[in-house]
């Protein structure tokens, strides 16, 4: 170990000593529009070195000695600018953005040249870029992420104005649940990671791969028309301006589980550590079809099939929980040609392993009686869940970029993400003790789920001809393989107070969904292939050249193949064989041993295989979308800008499945939508904008929501099914935003929005049940709200103008959203209107979201820290129907803290994080009083303690 340590130390020292040169990178933009100025002339005055900016306005100067430099920038028709005081340090990159003003905008004023300082120029240019964004949008950069404790992309999203995260992974934008958001990576669509909902689990991506994240909240024709909340566009790290190597390692302490005893299944595979089942849990290939087991095989033959499960283990082990840990290795190559960037390669591997425990009581209640005002149903059951989870996240990134010349570049971006949850659930109590108050149940569920995502995009950017026509294209391919290799269950029942003599319970065939020996297998394989291209042509209108006509189109093919199977080990008590009932008293690690399969040595029956697979367990689906659009970004004056156009989407969806053997479903629908949108931006002053927008968007049913497949979700205790009669929802979106940019990277904005839904799709409890939910179209809904955001230096709040003030190192930021929604429900035949819930919030909608943060950054000492607070109001988790009230997720406040210390010119970084310091409980409740918030009359469904998580990490860059 000593040799390895000193070898690494020598390598680092050599790198640091040999790389004594700096670099300047930058971009030239139009001060009025924020557009990059292709072929702008950029001269490094001290070196008399002249360069031309590329098609996006980018430029660079490398191999510079430490010092202070100046740059002259010229472009035909623009005022020349000289930027002074550009500080270059050894082994560092100095970035600057230069904004040029058109001569035509300074009528009757003769200006030949202007000068500015580098620091002020870059800050002013950042303001220009934000101010000139065509959409109402919010974004997060990697530099912002570095200052927070955020480990996953889900953590990042909840910092954005109007955004929150549900279940630590699903995005809620403007109070609208995940199904109303669209997810993209590098401009290509992401498939759903969930087999039972239209959603993407953002905890799959570690935050370290992020370059920037943009959430578009208003539509333009060049963006997908299938959203209502927002479009979440993740851009992974691009090629960095210099070669580098980065190594990071961190450990984390969870107050609920680290160093304490945890339980896990003894049925483990050799590849669990990378989030993949090696076949240990999988359905043996020798098992015949469901029809054969049900209709052809004799009991003796079914007993013979049990030999293929002889290696499966049903016991539960325990051990002390290790700290969570993470590791990251990144390597970047930058190759220049003629002192210009030519080839860049970025490789990165991330590994995260986390141990979690969710533990708390769960209550069941009788059916709600709407004929009784403010009825509180009697409790009929209570049990406690202890959910131990071993989560693995593996991510690999490989990006290659070639800048052929200043007018042509091609990038190939690739990402592999594997995410697995290895859960062991222990449940004790009673589902229903109303008929037997002493009833007692003990169950164990072993639930391994693996998601594997591969996303690849080939991207081209070209500038053609003297008219500077831009052509962009993208070819993308992504797959999601979601596997549940074996969800197995054991169950024992008895009577209190003596629970030492429990006996195993088994289902009666063919209903093999509950009881000991149940095994559920499923796989969902989905792929997306897409191709799109667009052409952007600048044109002059009313003497302003910063107008653009954009035309584009594309094709997307999405295919899914879902398969599932339910088997069970049942007592062999048929065909002349008598079951040995003494087996039922054996513990779970002994009852299903191979010697208890088939006819045992004592001549009595043990266990045989039964098949409980239903006809609706499989489906095959596909959809193809052809889109085309035309959009104009037009400036009617120096203050008025209008982005308008129309998008056409032709959607063809197919789904083949069975409700039962005599009722096939063969959906084949084609719908063409024309989706107009307009965004108006009025620059009241150089520092303020007023935006207004209108757009028509849509929300289509997901494959799973149409399929009749019935799945029992053990944690929520709900059975979930789809409905083939679903139709797409249509949304009219109205948005107004005021923006103020006072300078020095400060901002203030306030937005008002209103949305009208026709046929919104919701997740609703089935009437007359308490534990079955279905996807349904409600009649209509409306959502309205207001968002506000500000970011300011503390020195500004106290009126301090001295740039050297200590308070300049503190940035205070906050954003908040207040939202309301109303849903009109479809009447239920035979139910009096007074017994229906006629006014409730849209499922998943939050009434308010609050984010605040205080950041300290001192470059001189290399210390940075952030304190952030997030709170989301009570929101509908599962919508009620008729005699079942809405289930709400209770509001909670999350407080995080981070402090970072940099050493050796930022080559070494030490970081301490404290996540969820307040650790408020995670609660779900039934809104029996219909007050849309928790009251004394309401009752908790679950009440789980939340952990505090403390982590320490170190990063080395050279």
């Amino acid at each position: 170990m000593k040799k390895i340590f000193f070898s690494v130390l020598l390598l680092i020292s050599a790198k640091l000593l040999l790389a004594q040169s700096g670099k300047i990178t930058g971009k030239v933009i139009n001060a009025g529009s924020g557009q990059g100025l292709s072929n702008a002339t950029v001269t490094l005055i001290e070196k008399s070195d002249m360069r031309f900016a590329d098609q996006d306005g980018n430029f660079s100067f490398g191999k510079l000695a430490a010092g202070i430099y100046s740059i002259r920038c010229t472009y035909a028709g623009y005022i020349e600018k000289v930027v002074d005081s550009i500080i270059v340090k050894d082994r560092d990159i100095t970035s600057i953005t230069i904004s040029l003003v058109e001569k035509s905008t300074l009528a009757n004023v003769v200006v030949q040249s202007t000068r500015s300082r580098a620091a002020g120029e870059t800050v002013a240019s950042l303001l220009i870029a934000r101010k000139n964004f065509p959409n109402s949008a919010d974004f997060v950069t990697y530099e912002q992420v570095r200052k927070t404790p955020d480990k996953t992309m889900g953590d990042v999203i909840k910092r954005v104005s109007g955004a929150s995260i549900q279940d630590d992974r699903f995005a809620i934008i403007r109070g609208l649940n995940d199904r109303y958001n669209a997810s993209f990576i590098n401009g290509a669509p992401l498939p759903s990671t969930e087999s039972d909902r239209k959603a993407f689990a953002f905890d799959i991506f570690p935050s370290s791969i992020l370059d920037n994240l943009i959430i578009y909240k208003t539509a333009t024709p060049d963006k997908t028309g299938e959203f209502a909340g927002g479009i979440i566009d993740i851009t992974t790290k691009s090629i960095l301006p210099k070669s580098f190597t980065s190594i990071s390692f961190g450990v984390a302490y969870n107050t609920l589980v680290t160093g304490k005893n945890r339980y896990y299944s003894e049925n483990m595979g050799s590849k669990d550590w990378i989030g993949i089942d090696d076949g240990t849990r999988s359905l043996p290939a020798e098992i015949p079809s469901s029809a054969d087991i049900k209709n052809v095989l004799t009991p003796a033959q079914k007993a013979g099939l049990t030999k293929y499960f002889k290696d499966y283990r049903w016991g539960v082990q325990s051990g002390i929980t290790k700290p969570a840990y993470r590791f990251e290795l990144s390597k970047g190559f930058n190759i220049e040609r003629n002192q210009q960037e030519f080839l860049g390669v970025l490789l990165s591997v991330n590994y995260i392993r986390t141990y979690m425990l969710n533990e708390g009581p769960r209550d069941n209640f009788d059916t709600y009686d709407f004929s009784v005002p403010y009825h509180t149903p009697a409790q009929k059951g209570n049990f406690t869940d202890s959910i131990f989870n071993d989560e693995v996240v593996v991510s690999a990134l490989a990006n290659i970029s070639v800048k052929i010349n200043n007018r042509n570049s091609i990038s190939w971006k690739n990402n592999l993400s594997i995410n697995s949850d290895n859960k062991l659930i222990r449940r004790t109590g009673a589902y229903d003790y109303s008929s037997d108050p002493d009833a007692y149940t003990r169950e164990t569920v072993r639930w391994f789920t693996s998601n594997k995502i591969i996303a690849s995009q080939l991207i081209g950017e070209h500038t053609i001809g003297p008219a500077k026509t831009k052509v962009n294209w993208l070819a993308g391919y992504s797959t999601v393989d979601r596997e549940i290799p074996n969800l197995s269950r054991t169950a024992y029942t008895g009577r209190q107070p003596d629970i030492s003599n429990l006996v195993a319970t088994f289902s009666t065939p063919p209903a093999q969904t509950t009881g000991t020996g149940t095994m559920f297998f499923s796989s969902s394989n989905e792929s997306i292939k897409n191709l799109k291209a667009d052409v952007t042509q600048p044109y002059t209108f009313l003497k302003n050249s910063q107008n653009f006509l954009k035309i584009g189109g594309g094709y997307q093919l999405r295919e899914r193949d879902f398969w599932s199977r339910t088997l069970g080990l049942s007592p062999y008590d048929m065909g002349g064989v008598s079951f040995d009932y003494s087996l039922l008293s054996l513990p779970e690690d002994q009852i299903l041993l191979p010697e208890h399969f088939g006819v045992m040595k004592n001549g009595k029956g043990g266990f045989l295989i039964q098949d409980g697979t239903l006809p609706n367990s499989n489906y095959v689906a596909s959809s193809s979308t052809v889109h085309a659009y035309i959009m104009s970004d037009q400036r009617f004056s120096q203050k008025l800008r209008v982005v308008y156009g129309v998008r056409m989407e032709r959607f063809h969806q197919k789904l083949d499945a069975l409700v039962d053997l005599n009722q096939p479903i063969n959906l084949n629908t084609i719908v063409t939508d024309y989706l107009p949108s307009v965004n108006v931006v009025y620059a009241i002053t150089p520092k303020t904008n007023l935006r207004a927008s209108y757009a028509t968007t849509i929300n289509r049913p997901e494959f799973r929501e149409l399929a009749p497949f019935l799945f029992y979700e053990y944690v929520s205790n709900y059975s979930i099914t789809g409905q083939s009669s679903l139709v797409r929802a249509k949304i009219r979106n109205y948005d107004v935003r005021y923006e103020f940019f006072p300078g020095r990277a400060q901002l203030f904005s306030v937005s008002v929005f209103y949305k009208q839904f026709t046929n919104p799709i919701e997740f609703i409890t089935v009437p007359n049940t308490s534990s079955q939910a279905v996807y349904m179209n409600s009649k209509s809904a409306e959502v309205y709200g207001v968002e506000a955001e500000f970011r300011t230096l503390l020195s500004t709040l106290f009126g301090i103008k001295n740039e050297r003030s200590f308070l300049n190192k503190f940035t205070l930021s906050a954003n908040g959203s207040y939202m309301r929604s109303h849903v009109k429900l479809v009447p239920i035949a035979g139910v009096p209107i007074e017994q229906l819930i006629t006014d409730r919030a849209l499922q998943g909608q939050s009434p308010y979201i609050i984010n605040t943060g205080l950041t300290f950054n001192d470059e001189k000492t290399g210390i940075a820290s952030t304190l952030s607070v997030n709170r989301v109001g009570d929101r509908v988790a599962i919508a009620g129907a008729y005699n079942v009230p809405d289930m709400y997720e209770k509001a909670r406040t999350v407080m995080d803290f981070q402090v970072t210390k940099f050493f050796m010119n930022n080559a070494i970084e030490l970081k301490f994080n404290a996540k969820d310091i307040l650790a408020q409980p995670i609660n779900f409740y039934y809104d029996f009083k219909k007050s849309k918030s928790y009251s004394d009359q309401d009752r908790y469904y679950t009440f789980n303690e939340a952990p505090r998580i403390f982590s320490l990490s170190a990063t080395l860059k050279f």
Side-chain angles (χ1 to χ4, degrees), residues 376-590:
T376 300
Q379 183 175 338
K380 69 175 184 179
N382 170 266
F383 51 86
T384 299
D385 274 355
S386 300
I387 306 173
F388 299 87
N389 190 21
D390 177 0
E391 182 179 3
V392 172
V393 176
V394 181
S395 178
L397 180 146
N399 291 346
I400 302 173
S401 179
V402 179
K403 185 178 287 187
I404 301 170
N405 51 44
N406 280 348
R407 298 170 71 90
N408 298 278
S409 64
I410 296 177
S411 299
W412 186 26
K413 295 190 174 184
N414 304 276
N415 183 265
L416 165 67
S417 292
I418 300 172
N419 171 272
S420 71
D421 289 311
N422 193 356
K423 294 178 181 176
L424 191 287
I425 306 172
R426 309 201 84 182
R427 176 171 291 178
T428 57
Y431 286 93
D432 186 352
Y433 51 61
S434 56
S435 58
D436 183 359
D438 295 328
Y440 183 82
T441 296
R442 187 190 71 210
E443 297 177 350
T444 303
V445 169
R446 306 146 194 85
W447 187 350
F448 183 92
T449 305
S450 178
N451 283 311
K452 181 172 66 176
I453 297 180
I454 299 175
S456 180
Q457 304 90 32
L458 188 63
I459 305 167
E461 300 178 0
H462 312 276
T463 302
I464 301 173
K468 298 178 182 177
T469 303
K470 287 191 174 183
V471 178
N472 295 337
W473 55 268
L474 180 147
Y477 176 76
S478 61
T479 63
V480 171
D481 294 332
R482 178 179 173 86
E483 306 288 340
I484 301 179
N486 193 334
L487 192 163
S488 64
R489 183 175 178 179
T490 51
Y492 287 76
T493 61
R495 301 185 75 252
Q496 302 181 79
D498 183 10
I499 59 173
S500 61
N501 297 315
L502 301 179
V503 295
T505 60
F506 289 82
S507 308
T508 301
Q512 292 293 159
T513 57
T514 62
T516 297
T518 302
M519 294 175 286
F520 173 81
F521 311 84
S522 77
S523 68
S524 177
N525 308 113
E526 181 174 324
S527 67
I528 294 181
K529 303 168 187 174
N530 66 297
L531 180 66
K532 65 178 182 178
D534 55 64
V535 178
T536 305
Q537 178 62 60
Y539 67 94
T540 300
F541 177 75
L542 297 178
K543 298 183 180 181
N544 189 313
S545 62
Q546 293 299 309
N547 302 283
F548 302 92
L549 180 66
K550 191 173 184 180
I551 300 174
Y555 175 79
Q556 174 184 301
L557 175 64
R558 183 179 172 203
E559 298 173 299
R560 176 185 286 188
D561 186 352
F562 178 83
W563 166 90
S564 68
R565 189 87 181 267
T566 302
L567 297 176
L569 292 165
S570 296
Y572 190 178
D573 196 15
M574 59 186 72
V577 177
S578 178
F579 177 66
D580 186 349
Y581 283 91
S582 67
L583 295 176
L584 300 183
S585 299
L586 295 176
E588 58 191 357
D589 61 340
Q590 299 178 29

Side-chain angles (χ1 to χ4, degrees), residues 800-814:
I800 300 173
K801 297 183 179 180
N802 182 2
E803 293 187 3
R804 297 183 179 180
S805 168
F806 179 72
L807 292 183
N808 265 338
K809 300 175 182 180
F810 291 89
T811 300
L812 177 65
S813 62

Side-chain angles (χ1 to χ4, degrees), residues 929-947:
K929 194 176 181 180
K930 297 183 286 184
S931 62
K932 302 178 178 63
S933 62
Y934 186 76
S935 66
D936 292 340
Q937 190 172 333
D938 299 328
R939 294 292 181 268
Y940 282 115
Y941 176 60
T942 63
F943 193 99
N944 292 336
E945 187 178 354

Side-chain angles (χ1 to χ4, degrees), residues 851-873:
N851 289 297
T852 61
L854 180 63
T855 300
F856 171 80
N857 188 24
D858 187 353
E859 294 185 2
K860 186 176 181 180
T861 61
I863 296 176
S865 65
T866 298
L867 177 68
S868 58
V869 179
N870 169 265
R871 182 174 176 83
V872 179

Side-chain angles (χ1 to χ4, degrees), residues 635-778:
R635 296 176 184 270
F636 289 86
S637 68
Q638 292 301 321
K639 292 189 173 184
L640 180 61
R641 176 188 183 188
V642 183
V643 182
Y644 61 97
V646 64
R647 181 182 181 91
M648 182 280 294
E649 291 189 359
R650 183 181 184 272
F651 182 71
H652 185 188
Q653 188 172 51
K654 298 179 180 180
L655 185 141
D656 296 318
L658 292 174
V659 177
D660 56 48
L661 295 176
N662 299 315
Q663 189 178 351
I665 292 178
N666 302 110
L667 295 180
N668 190 347
T669 59
I670 299 176
V671 180
T672 300
D673 288 292
Y674 293 90
L675 308 172
S677 64
V678 58
N679 287 263
V680 180
V681 185
Y682 184 77
I684 303 172
T685 71
K687 293 185 177 181
T688 58
N689 276 342
L690 181 63
R691 297 177 180 269
S693 69
Y694 166 79
T696 300
T697 59
I698 53 177
N699 182 243
R700 301 183 179 104
E702 174 65 24
F703 297 142
R704 170 63 182 100
E705 297 166 347
L706 295 165
F709 170 62
L710 180 69
F711 176 68
Y712 172 61
E713 208 287 328
Y714 187 84
V715 174
S716 67
N717 199 29
Y718 265 77
S719 296
I720 302 166
T721 187
Q723 186 167 232
S724 60
S725 61
L726 286 178
V727 297
R728 61 119 168 85
K730 203 163 188 177
I731 309 104
R732 292 182 173 88
N733 307 269
Y734 305 85
D735 197 284
V736 177
R737 173 181 284 200
Y738 171 80
E739 301 172 325
F740 174 47
F741 303 92
R744 301 171 71 188
Q746 302 173 108
L747 67 90
F748 170 78
S749 71
V750 60
S751 301
V752 178
F753 61 89
Y754 176 73
K755 298 176 183 291
Q756 289 180 319
F757 291 76
T758 303
N759 300 321
I761 301 171
E762 297 187 282
F763 188 52
I764 297 176
T765 303
V766 175
N768 297 313
T769 73
S770 60
S771 59
Q772 186 171 340
V774 66
Y775 298 94
M776 294 179 62
N777 286 112
S778 296

